[in-house]
Amino acid sequence: MHVPDGFINAPVSAVAGVVAAGAVAVSLRGARRELDERTAPLAGLVAAFIFAVQMLNFPVAAGTSGHLLGGALAAILVGPFTGVLCIAVVLLMQGILFADGGLTALGVNITVMGVVTVVVAYALFRGLIRVLPRGRRSTTAAAFVAALVSVPAAAVAFTLIYAVGGTTDVPIGKVLTAMVGVHVLIGIGEAAITALTVGAVIAVRPDLVHGALGLAAPLKLRVGGELVDAPAATPAPVAARSTRTVRATGLIAALVLAGFVSFYASANPDGLEKVAADQGIDEKVQEHGAADSPLADYGVKDVGNARVSGGLAGVIGVGVTVAVGSGVFWAVRKRRTPQTPAARTAESV
């Protein structure tokens, strides 16, 4: 759902840019409460993983494909504020380096793919886990539903923006029906990827999943014929619970997906591209400002072998995204307001 230049007129694109900038500014402040010395590097890895998985278009209907948006996954793994920043970093790298998503439409893309998906998914996720039994299965199920709903929600958001600032005269009802219809199907793939990833991380390190913190069901003991809560176990010190293995595994997975598996991704147009072509939305599409980038269209310029070209581009993209993302999140963490001794004492109690 990367909106190119020319779909939305300049005034509405500018307003969307202001909205996106405001959302990023709020997220920078909010992320200070979500990031610490362990989760800051993980957030950069989450951004790189989302970049990699977005290269894997999967077929959803005849002649149409879809790919992960990632807002739900990022919000559940590292928190909603950090999640918005993750998607913003991914979209910025894609737009500048790979000519994917218009530069003048960057605000539209961050608003639709980042803010809307994160807000809808995380709100629904938190609502579900409050009513479902606490545990890994319920958390994974809630992630599935939240991700599924977030994709058509983003499609609705794009349609509303297009209704206000679209550059072609197309009946909005037809656009809405087509966008929601195809993105419900894409949402199923999004939900599956999100649930599998969240479930896998919870299985090995539930303490690293922001949305699962405090959700473990208390251990029960039978005393005198009655079930009572067992004494809480003392958590392992932060220093003793290294994230090195998780980070290495995640980075290797992202590199393999972007560098090798992406070659087998569907070549069909994604949901927005298909709807745009069918409905005439793309009549005034403009050439991307970074069309001459050496990495444009996810290939390395002057490398003749398509498999090698795409793989190198994917590996470079993962490397740049994890570097930029980690740098941003480390900077945000360092600006975290230190707690007073009284506040730390109150939290420990």
Side-chain angles (χ1 to χ4, degrees):
M1 195 186 293
H2 293 75
V3 180
D5 296 319
F7 276 22
I8 308 298
N9 64 32
V12 174
S13 294
V15 171
V18 172
V19 172
V24 169
V26 171
S27 297
L28 284 170
R29 294 182 62 87
R32 297 177 192 173
R33 301 190 296 271
E34 297 172 346
L35 296 171
D36 56 30
E37 62 274 11
R38 294 186 307 159
T39 56
L42 287 174
L45 181 59
V46 167
F49 183 78
I50 290 173
F51 172 90
V53 180
Q54 284 195 1
M55 294 182 66
L56 309 180
N57 280 49
F58 48 85
V60 295
T64 309
S65 70
H67 63 71
L68 182 81
L69 298 187
L73 178 61
I76 295 169
L77 288 180
V78 293
F81 295 107
T82 307
V84 170
L85 297 180
C86 283
I87 303 302
V89 168
V90 171
L91 291 172
L92 185 62
M93 295 300 99
Q94 290 171 334
I96 294 176
L97 298 179
F98 298 92
D100 189 11
L103 297 179
T104 62
L106 182 61
V108 174
N109 284 321
I110 291 176
T111 301
V112 172
M113 295 179 64
V115 179
V116 172
T117 57
V118 166
V119 170
V120 171
Y122 199 72
L124 182 55
F125 175 81
R126 295 301 301 181
L128 288 172
I129 61 175
R130 288 178 181 175
V131 299
L132 293 173
R134 290 188 295 177
R136 175 187 170 189
R137 291 183 179 179
S138 297
T139 304
T140 304
F144 183 95
V145 175
L148 173 62
V149 174
S150 71
V151 177
V156 172
F158 166 77
T159 305
L160 293 175
I161 293 174
Y162 190 82
V164 178
T167 55
T168 56
D169 186 15
V170 179
I172 297 303
K174 290 184 178 181
V175 175
L176 178 63
T177 301
M179 284 291 292
V180 173
V182 71
H183 283 90
V184 166
L185 299 177
I186 295 172
I188 296 174
E190 176 105 10
I193 295 169
T194 301
L196 287 172
T197 306
V198 170
V201 179
I202 289 178
V204 294
R205 289 295 299 270
D207 60 305
L208 296 179
V209 179
H210 183 276
L213 296 179
L215 297 180
L219 180 64
K220 298 288 185 178
L221 296 177
R222 189 174 295 277
V223 179
E226 296 183 357
L227 289 176
V228 298
D229 291 342
T234 303
V238 171
R241 297 181 62 79
S242 172
T243 63
R244 185 174 301 172
T245 301
V246 174
R247 285 154 47 195
T249 302
L251 181 58
I252 292 172
L255 290 171
V256 170
L257 291 173
F260 298 97
V261 181
S262 62
F263 180 77
Y264 302 98
S266 173
N268 291 330
D270 67 19
L272 177 58
E273 290 174 326
K274 179 65 173 175
V275 172
D278 290 346
Q279 302 297 328
I281 294 175
D282 59 356
E283 290 181 0
K284 296 185 179 180
V285 65
Q286 300 172 5
E287 184 179 15
H288 199 285
D292 293 331
S293 166
L295 298 173
D297 297 323
Y298 297 94
V300 178
K301 190 176 182 179
D302 297 330
V303 176
N305 186 293
R307 185 189 296 268
V308 175
S309 177
L312 284 175
V315 169
I316 293 171
V318 168
V320 172
T321 303
V322 75
V324 173
S326 298
V328 169
F329 297 125
W330 271 113
V332 172
R333 185 197 68 84
K334 288 183 178 180
R335 292 178 60 86
R336 185 173 181 175
T337 304
Q339 290 181 314
T340 63
R344 287 195 292 268
T345 302
E347 282 191 357
S348 64
V349 176

